[in-house]
Amino acid sequence: MRVYNFAAGPAALPLEVLEEARDELLDWNHDGTSVMEISHRSKAFMRVAAQAEADLRELLAIPDTYKVLFLQGGASAQFSAVPMNLTAPGATVDFIDTGHWSKKAMQEAQRHCRVHVAGDAGGAYTSVPAQSQLAFSGAAQYLHYTPNETIGGVEFGYVPQAGVPLVADMSSNILSRPLDVTQFGLIYAGAQKNIGPAGLTIVIVREDLIGRARPGTPTVFEYRAVAAAGSMLNTPPTFSWYMAGLVFKWLKARGGLAAIAERNRLKAEKLYAAIDGSSLYRNTVAADARSRMNVTFQLTRPQLDTEFLRQADAAGLKNLQGHRIAGGMRASIYNAMPIDGVAALIEFMRYFERERA
Ligand code: PMP
């Protein structure tokens, strides 16, 4: 039996994608092998890889002036790969600090660059600074921000303008809505939320920003070398790449990003309305910064947390516990979460509140 899985990542994948992968797991492409068992340099796999890139380019309307790289190491590897590729020693980079992942990225960048905090959320991590509140260093090679903070459930409703290349960690909201890629110098994302299984990291980078990596940058993270090798300098995570391709195909078949964005808006709206309309649940994120992907909420009677999670789990609503550093609850409702899953969660929340009134 499939449950509704609200995990933050690795997260639920579309059922149709899993079924397709299952159906061809043992005998892929009528070759009598699994796609996992073939060479990444075989013609058959090269077709899979090229098609996945073409579909991602189509979904996000990525211009030809951008490279799309399929890497390993997770988004965390990009925390250092970005400064190593984009800056020289002694350079300054600007950061917007809106939560746990901004901070992690910043701490790693500090090993390579001077970091200037151009804006933050005032400590509480329940809002994002407005464009007018941002104070840039004026000397930065780029501005880094985290459009969606997975742990706090805080999402930017605007794209910051900085006058320098914009670098965005889109690990938890890529492909959730249409995007104007030309506003960004570099976008990176770990796959394990909206793209596919863990093991794959996607980097979309404007061509003119690459080719100036610091000496000492590991070759497997050097963007120009990776791009020149078609992301096959060494063995890529072939199964994750194949799965990402199935997810891209699934998204296209469902109307692309405009259609999925509308479903995501509806799901989040319904869930926040249920939270706001109750006296047992609350969300403290500023209205214009509420994430459409990670909906955090607390019980006003935290002594009921354990019972809430136990009963939700028994009802097939899994992994609602908030991140260990945040506490409370978190419902991650990425692209693969159907509207019915959100409706079932709301129904359970209302039932639980009535029972405990
Ligand atoms: N950035 C964000 C926004 C994330 O949500 C995560 C993982 N949850 C990371 C970075 C780290 O990703 P990885 O585990 O792939 O290194």
Side-chain angles (χ1 to χ4, degrees):
M1 190 198 95
R2 295 277 298 168
V3 296
Y4 290 122
N5 175 12
F6 295 92
L13 286 164
L15 179 60
E16 296 83 356
V17 165
L18 292 171
E19 285 172 340
E20 191 173 349
R22 176 201 59 198
D23 291 347
E24 55 191 29
L25 189 69
L26 302 184
D27 181 13
W28 175 74
N29 204 21
H30 306 297
D31 282 352
T33 69
S34 162
V35 67
M36 278 184 272
E37 301 171 299
I38 62 167
S39 166
H40 55 294
R41 303 200 189 278
S42 63
K43 278 208 174 65
F45 188 79
M46 294 290 253
R47 270 198 299 277
V48 171
Q51 189 61 49
E53 180 176 336
D55 287 341
L56 179 64
R57 282 184 176 277
E58 185 181 329
L59 283 164
L60 283 169
I62 302 173
D64 288 344
T65 48
Y66 285 73
K67 298 286 188 197
V68 177
L69 312 178
F70 292 78
L71 296 164
Q72 301 190 56
S76 300
Q78 296 308 311
F79 294 166
S80 44
V82 171
M84 292 188 91
N85 275 276
L86 266 49
T87 70
T92 300
V93 294
D94 285 1
F95 267 77
I96 307 178
D97 177 14
T98 49
H100 179 83
W101 293 110
S102 308
K103 237 194 177 61
K104 283 259 190 195
M106 212 156 73
Q107 284 164 350
E108 197 67 18
Q110 268 161 349
R111 302 175 61 203
H112 306 283
C113 301
R114 277 175 222 195
V115 167
H116 166 81
V117 180
D120 62 31
Y125 289 152
T126 51
S127 63
V128 302
Q131 172 76 42
S132 60
Q133 293 172 306
L134 300 177
F136 303 112
S137 66
Q141 298 297 302
Y142 60 79
L143 171 70
H144 180 287
Y145 83 120
T146 310
N148 185 68
E149 285 283 358
T150 322
I151 294 176
V154 169
E155 188 169 16
F156 276 77
Y158 72 98
V159 175
Q161 307 294 314
V164 294
L166 193 55
V167 172
D169 173 3
M170 288 197 194
S171 293
S172 51
N173 69 349
I174 193 166
L175 296 173
S176 67
R177 58 170 91 182
L179 190 70
D180 177 5
V181 172
T182 65
Q183 290 184 288
F184 299 86
L186 187 150
I187 293 166
Y188 64 94
Q192 63 271 21
K193 296 140 191 339
N194 260 342
I195 295 174
L200 173 71
T201 310
I202 288 184
V203 172
I204 302 166
V205 58
R206 218 172 64 206
E207 257 167 12
D208 62 288
L209 294 175
I210 67 177
R212 277 167 290 161
R214 295 177 183 212
T217 306
T219 311
V220 291
F221 290 128
E222 213 230 286
Y223 298 147
R224 186 165 61 179
V226 174
S231 299
M232 294 205 192
L233 269 174
N234 65 333
T235 316
T238 52
F239 188 69
S240 296
W241 196 332
Y242 151 84
M243 288 291 287
L246 295 186
V247 170
F248 301 154
K249 202 169 65 159
W250 176 86
L251 275 172
K252 279 174 55 178
R254 270 147 198 83
L257 299 192
I260 204 82
E262 183 51 22
R263 280 202 291 276
N264 287 336
R265 190 188 61 75
L266 254 172
K267 287 187 295 185
E269 210 171 83
K270 278 176 191 290
L271 189 46
Y272 284 117
I275 293 166
D276 292 342
S278 94
S279 51
L280 182 59
Y281 312 106
R282 74 190 156 119
N283 167 287
T284 52
V285 177
D288 64 349
R290 285 176 157 187
S291 171
R292 289 188 191 175
M293 297 283 100
N294 309 100
V295 178
T296 50
F297 61 95
Q298 293 83 39
L299 269 59
T300 51
R301 292 152 66 194
Q303 65 273 27
L304 295 178
D305 281 6
T306 309
E307 188 56 17
F308 177 87
L309 287 166
R310 195 190 65 74
Q311 288 193 26
D313 190 85
L317 306 165
K318 303 280 180 179
N319 301 314
L320 285 163
Q321 185 152 24
H323 191 277
R324 64 194 142 75
I325 64 169
M329 310 296 155
R330 171 176 54 174
S332 295
I333 50 173
Y334 300 116
N335 290 346
M337 175 58 65
I339 290 178
D340 286 354
V342 173
L345 173 59
I346 292 170
E347 196 184 324
F348 169 77
M349 288 166 71
R350 290 196 176 128
Y351 157 80
F352 187 82
E353 183 169 5
R354 270 197 317 271
E355 288 289 295
R356 300 287 151 168

